[in-house]
Amino acid sequence: MSRESQTALPGTPDRPELPGTLPDHLRAELIAFRRDLHMHPELGHQEFRTTAAIKARLEKAGLRPRVLSTGTGLICDVGTWDGVQPVLALRADIDALPIPDTKTHVPYRSSFPDRAHACGHDVHTVTVLGAGLVLAELDRQGLLPQPVRLLFQPAEEVLPGGASDAIEDGVLDGVGKIIAVHCDPRVDAGKIGLRPGAITSACDRLEVALAGPGGHTARPHLTTDLVTAAARVAVDVPAVLARRMDARSGMSVTWGRIEAGHACNVIPMHAELSGTVRCLDLNAWHEAPDQIHAAIDEVAALHGAKSEITYVRGVPPVVNDPMVTELLREAMAARRGPGAIEDTEQSLGGEDFSWYLEHVPGAMARLGVHKPGDPAKRDLHRGDFDVDESAITVGVEFFTAAALLDGRRARPSR
């Protein structure tokens, strides 16, 4: 029997019978949809073509999507919300990265020299789209126990992330839980990685400008030696913070740029450093700006330098709710058995899914996209990033299982 004609997976004690598998024809369509997105990547707040394509496909299925007020991104409810029963939201991010696509062996390589879906957002998009289409069919059959909201969010890669704008636009109205997946090239396709608690890090941007009277390198005692001051800020500030912040917070200050001077025999009057602040603990994230300001000012003052600090809030850590994480574990076990679940490690990467979790409980899973047996390791945010497209089926059926299991709990049979 083809998967298209199936209405449910066979039930076992570990894998309850669930409808919502992906039909063969829809699987092929989603792969083609993903490849089209991959060929036409759009940066944050510029995802007009992507938004239009998603909207058209949902409308073709008889659904009524709403484009967000920012002009890109959209939400769409599957099933009828009664205004009382909480909605489960499935979130996808739809933007690409400003880096070149270096793949040469695939026909769906990016059509633009400076843009690429090198983080898997095209896969995130089609897994939520596919789940929505499958759930819509179940709703027509009277098999959807609760409404589900599809959320296609723009500008995840743009600090502080498009999630904040989406929340202001009311995307969480009526939402009781929110779930998402993120591609993980370290995990084989067919599996997911789960972790309760912090799974990704907070990520903020830090810029420091130092100033003082410069002069000749023959007379450094008559100057503020800003090269030395910048070097000490770069080295000593992380060391100071390591003793002032709880070591369990995972606080990390890492510099990506340091600039000072233009001539070998001139002590400059200005120096600059910039980097990122990352931590895994929410309370530490709230404390970080004050602690970092104090540490930089103290180290700079020791060398007679004046400091001007620009601290740009990015995103808090993604802290998975334990109960929602357990729902995802049960959903994956129901679809593919407990052997398809891995305990995943924490990452110091940032993800603006965290903003939703400031308002409602939720969890993010890592969707395996590595082709089993392939020796190549393609990391995220690299031009050669690609996925095993069988992961699309896994993601769709994972989402539909979570929606059905959550709905059954919310509305138990009498």
Side-chain angles (χ1 to χ4, degrees):
M1 180 171 61
S2 73
R3 291 175 61 93
E4 185 171 348
S5 61
Q6 289 180 318
T7 58
L9 291 174
T12 69
D14 292 331
R15 298 171 66 176
E17 183 174 315
L18 282 177
T21 55
L22 185 64
D24 291 335
H25 75 278
L26 185 53
R27 181 187 305 107
E29 180 188 349
L30 292 175
I31 290 173
F33 199 102
R34 179 257 167 175
R35 293 184 177 188
D36 180 72
L37 294 182
H38 203 85
M39 292 177 65
H40 302 91
E42 296 175 303
L43 303 181
H45 300 301
Q46 301 173 23
E47 312 96 332
F48 297 102
R49 183 185 185 276
T50 302
T51 298
I54 299 167
K55 181 174 181 288
R57 185 60 184 91
L58 292 171
E59 289 176 338
K60 181 180 178 182
L63 299 171
R64 300 176 64 182
R66 173 176 72 85
V67 176
L68 302 183
S69 60
T70 52
T72 62
L74 64 158
I75 61 172
C76 182
D77 286 352
V78 180
T80 303
W81 181 45
D82 59 11
V84 178
Q85 184 184 12
V87 176
L88 175 69
L90 315 181
R91 178 267 199 172
D93 37 11
I94 64 175
D95 57 325
L97 286 162
I99 63 175
D101 189 339
T102 61
K103 297 187 297 295
T104 59
H105 61 288
V106 295
Y108 50 84
R109 180 184 179 186
S110 172
S111 303
F112 302 92
D114 57 350
R115 287 182 255 159
H117 269 296
C119 198
H121 294 189
D122 51 341
V123 175
H124 305 166
T125 298
V126 297
T127 56
V128 171
L129 174 62
L133 297 175
V134 172
L135 292 172
E137 179 58 32
L138 292 179
D139 185 48
R140 283 188 282 272
Q141 299 174 26
L143 298 175
L144 185 63
Q146 72 170 359
V148 174
R149 178 165 299 160
L150 314 177
L151 166 53
F152 299 91
Q153 179 214 302
E156 190 276 329
E157 299 287 356
V158 181
L159 286 178
S164 297
D165 292 333
I167 292 168
E168 290 184 8
D169 209 4
V171 301
L172 292 182
D173 292 349
V175 170
K177 301 183 187 74
I178 186 168
I179 59 176
V181 297
H182 198 295
C183 290
D184 191 336
R186 300 165 300 177
V187 177
D188 281 351
K191 296 185 176 183
I192 64 162
L194 292 175
R195 183 185 188 93
I199 188 172
T200 72
S201 170
C203 180
D204 299 336
R205 189 171 74 244
L206 178 62
E207 298 176 0
V208 181
L210 302 177
H216 202 290
T217 55
R219 291 173 290 279
H221 58 290
L222 301 179
T223 74
T224 295
D225 186 351
L226 287 185
V227 174
T228 297
R232 297 317 311 178
V233 167
V235 174
D236 293 346
V237 166
V240 169
L241 292 169
R243 291 297 176 265
R244 294 185 180 175
M245 304 292 290
D246 190 329
R248 294 169 295 181
S249 69
M251 170 69 73
S252 173
V253 175
T254 304
W255 307 103
R257 183 181 70 91
I258 182 169
E259 293 184 9
H262 301 283
C264 66
N265 63 342
V266 177
I267 294 175
M269 299 173 63
H270 301 280
E272 295 180 354
L273 304 91
S274 60
T276 59
V277 180
R278 301 176 187 270
C279 66
L280 294 164
D281 181 79
L282 192 58
N283 290 330
W285 181 69
H286 288 299
E287 297 175 13
D290 290 342
Q291 293 282 7
I292 289 171
H293 271 77
I296 292 172
D297 287 343
E298 291 172 19
V299 174
L302 285 175
H303 297 274
K306 295 180 179 180
S307 57
E308 182 179 334
I309 303 163
T310 302
Y311 194 105
V312 181
R313 274 300 198 193
V315 295
V318 172
V319 182
N320 282 345
D321 180 84
M323 293 184 65
V324 181
T325 304
E326 185 59 27
L327 168 67
L328 299 186
R329 185 177 298 275
E330 293 177 13
M332 192 62 176
R335 287 301 191 207
R336 293 180 176 254
I341 304 166
E342 295 185 0
D343 294 329
T344 192
E345 62 185 21
Q346 293 174 316
S347 166
L348 287 181
E351 231 290 351
D352 78 349
F353 182 72
S354 54
W355 288 120
Y356 301 112
L357 305 187
E358 296 277 289
H359 300 270
V360 295
M364 171 173 281
R366 301 197 186 281
L367 178 67
V369 296
H370 176 256
K371 187 176 182 62
D374 184 356
K377 300 295 183 182
R378 300 179 179 88
D379 201 4
L380 300 171
H381 288 218
R382 278 183 27 172
D384 63 347
F385 176 76
D386 205 355
V387 304
D388 182 333
E389 291 174 323
S390 67
I392 294 172
T393 299
V394 178
V396 169
E397 296 184 351
F398 173 64
F399 276 136
T400 59
L404 294 170
L405 290 176
D406 186 58
R408 290 178 179 182
R409 290 176 178 175
R411 185 174 292 176
S413 60
R414 296 179 180 178

